[in-house]
């Protein structure tokens, strides 16, 4: 089994970090083109570390998060965990995700509530790489394009500003296999109850234009103008006020988010996600836990096959949306 050091070493080739000391603008670029920038365990951990580093670095005032190629990213690499969710082998668990590699630490056994909840509760923490932008006291800008799904959708909800191309799609495949995702509270706050309920219950992705009218996205431009639009926002943010003022502003905003229950929402979703094994199937072929379901065939395969059951304009796949 890979160690976290192995995961991080591999991630060094998949995440690029650059900064311009003169402008105080840093950039994190996801670079896993063959997988639509899908985030590995190591990439998520590395992302959390880079955000924390930029938060302290006096040479950074603005952090831009983007993806190489056609997509911001299609979420986490679901196949990495294999059968760990419901069919683990003896002695297996999620210790590597939590960067615990002490052989004397025993992971809770399969069948216990703590087996899955240990991971889902960890996802509520900034150090897991799922919500580090919530604790980031500088200005964060996401450059959204193509797929903005799953884990990458988390980062969109947590960023200060989103600049999007007109072909971007926002959502989470988990709405169609588990029924929830770790950042649901924040999505609900950002998208609004009525529209987020539609996304959650239908599982359909929302377009950039729809997200603009939900007040989730700040600017929507054609793809060929995306980088210039992002650079315009980053430049304006970098010169507007001293960094100390920005940190004070962000502290005020973070206090407001905690008043609205942002972190409590993460804890509640971790609790909810830990209930997954208790969800009863409606039938033998249920998409979730049935004999041909998610955890028997693999999440990615089930989501892809099930996608074809929806109207073309509601499908997650760009190819599928062509009908």
């Amino acid at each position: 089994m890979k160690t976290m050091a192995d995961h991080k070493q591999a991630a060094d080739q998949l995440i690029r970090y650059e900064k311009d000391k003169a402008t105080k603008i840093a950039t994190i670029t996801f670079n896993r083109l063959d997988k639509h920038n899908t985030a590995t365990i190591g990439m998520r951990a590395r992302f959390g570390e880079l955000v924390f580093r930029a938060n302290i670095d006096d040479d950074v005032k603005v952090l831009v998060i983007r993806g190489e190629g056609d997509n911001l990213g299609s979420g986490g690499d679901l196949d990495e965990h294999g059968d760990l969710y419901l069919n683990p082998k003896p002695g297996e668990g999620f210790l590597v995700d939590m960067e615990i590699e002490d052989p004397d630490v025993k992971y809770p056994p399969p069948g216990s509530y703590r087996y899955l909840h240990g991971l889902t509760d960890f996802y509520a923490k900034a150090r897991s790489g799922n919500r580090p932008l919530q604790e980031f006291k500088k200005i964060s800008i996401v450059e959204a394009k193509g797929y903005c799904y799953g884990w990458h959708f988390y980062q969109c909800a947590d960023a200060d500003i989103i600049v999007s191309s007109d072909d971007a799609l926002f959502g989470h495949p988990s709405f169609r296999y588990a029924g929830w995702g770790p950042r649901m509270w924040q999505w609900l706050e950002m998208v609004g109850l009525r529209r987020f309920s539609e996304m959650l219950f239908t599982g359909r992705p929302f377009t950039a234009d729809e997200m603009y009218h939900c007040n989730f996205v700040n600017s929507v431009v054609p793809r060929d103008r995306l980088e210039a639009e992002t650079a315009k926002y980053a430049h304006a943010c970098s010169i507007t006020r001293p960094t100390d003022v920005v940190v004070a502003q962000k502290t005020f905003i973070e206090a407001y988010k905690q008043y609205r229950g942002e972190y409590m929402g993460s804890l509640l979703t971790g609790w909810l996600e830990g209930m997954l094994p208790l969800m009863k199937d409606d039938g033998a072929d249920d998409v979730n836990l049935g004999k041909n379901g998610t955890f028997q065939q693999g999440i990615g395969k089930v989501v892809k096959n099930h996608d074809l059951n929806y109207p073309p304009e509601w499908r997650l796949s760009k190819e599928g949306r062509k009908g």
Side-chain angles (χ1 to χ4, degrees):
M1 182 179 289
K2 286 184 178 179
T3 66
M4 180 52 82
D6 296 328
H7 284 293
K8 286 183 177 179
Q9 184 175 9
D12 287 340
Q13 308 303 315
L14 305 175
I15 290 187
R16 189 166 66 249
Y17 181 79
E18 301 160 298
K19 69 175 180 179
D20 185 329
K21 293 182 180 181
T23 64
K24 293 198 170 186
I25 298 172
T27 305
I28 293 176
T29 303
F30 306 122
N31 186 24
R32 198 185 182 200
L33 290 175
D34 60 325
K35 296 289 186 179
H36 305 309
N37 292 326
T38 299
T40 63
I41 293 170
M43 287 172 69
R44 296 194 297 273
R46 182 69 174 145
F47 178 75
E49 289 179 348
L50 291 172
V51 172
F52 179 72
R53 176 194 298 182
N55 192 51
I56 300 301
D57 192 346
D58 196 47
D59 286 331
V60 177
K61 184 178 180 182
V62 178
L63 178 63
V64 175
I65 296 131
R66 60 180 303 276
E68 199 68 72
D70 293 333
N71 306 284
L72 174 64
S74 57
D77 191 333
L78 300 174
D79 293 331
E80 258 191 326
H81 284 132
D83 293 333
L84 277 181
Y85 287 104
L86 289 183
N87 300 299
K89 296 181 177 65
E92 288 187 335
F94 298 104
L95 289 175
V96 172
D97 295 73
M98 301 172 199
E99 301 189 50
I100 298 175
E101 296 174 284
D102 184 342
D104 196 43
V105 175
K106 181 181 179 182
Y107 196 77
S112 68
Y113 172 66
R114 291 172 299 126
Y115 177 80
L116 188 54
H117 181 257
L119 179 70
T120 58
D121 182 66
F122 180 63
Y123 283 167
K125 313 297 189 279
R127 62 173 292 192
S128 72
N130 277 8
R131 54 178 295 279
L133 293 180
Q134 284 294 342
E135 298 180 6
F136 187 58
K137 296 300 192 296
K138 313 287 183 64
I139 301 166
S140 58
I141 301 174
V142 167
E143 182 185 276
K145 57 185 174 180
Y147 294 137
C148 304
Y149 288 165
W151 181 83
H152 296 83
F153 191 25
Y154 305 163
Q155 312 317 320
C156 291
D158 293 344
D160 296 307
I161 293 171
I162 301 179
V163 180
S164 177
S165 63
D166 54 10
D167 65 349
L169 294 169
F170 300 85
H172 202 315
S174 72
F175 300 153
R176 290 186 178 171
Y177 62 83
W180 43 65
R183 305 298 294 135
M184 285 210 303
W185 190 286
Q186 186 66 5
W187 292 325
L188 196 157
E189 283 283 303
M190 299 296 291
V191 177
L193 177 58
R194 188 74 68 189
R195 298 311 301 275
F196 181 67
S197 294
E198 179 181 348
M199 180 185 287
L200 179 66
F201 296 137
T202 67
R204 78 172 184 89
F206 278 32
T207 65
D209 184 63
E210 288 177 303
M211 296 301 264
Y212 178 80
H213 287 96
C214 290
N215 295 318
F216 186 90
V217 166
N218 297 87
S219 177
V220 180
V221 295
R223 173 62 72 89
D224 61 2
R225 289 175 46 198
L226 180 61
E227 290 187 24
E229 184 78 350
T230 303
K232 180 176 73 174
Y233 270 84
H235 172 68
C237 291
S238 72
I239 64 173
T240 181
R241 298 298 297 141
T243 306
D244 275 352
V245 173
V246 170
V247 172
Q249 291 170 328
K250 285 296 297 284
T251 302
F252 180 88
I253 290 173
E254 185 180 17
Y256 171 78
K257 287 182 176 180
Q258 297 318 313
Y259 169 75
R260 300 284 293 187
E262 180 275 322
Y263 181 62
M264 181 179 71
S266 287
L267 292 177
L268 285 175
T269 310
W271 163 80
L272 179 63
E273 287 191 292
M275 297 291 187
L276 181 61
L278 299 180
M279 300 298 109
K280 186 178 182 299
D281 295 338
D282 288 338
D285 292 323
D286 190 278
V287 69
N288 190 29
L289 303 175
K291 65 181 181 181
N292 295 317
T294 299
F295 296 101
Q296 278 64 43
Q297 293 190 51
I299 295 172
K301 185 176 181 181
V302 167
V303 170
K304 182 178 180 180
N305 292 340
H306 192 43
D307 203 34
L308 299 177
N309 295 324
Y310 290 84
E313 69 273 18
W314 283 11
R315 292 173 185 168
L316 294 162
S317 161
K318 285 186 278 190
E319 285 299 314
R321 291 172 70 86
K322 297 176 182 177

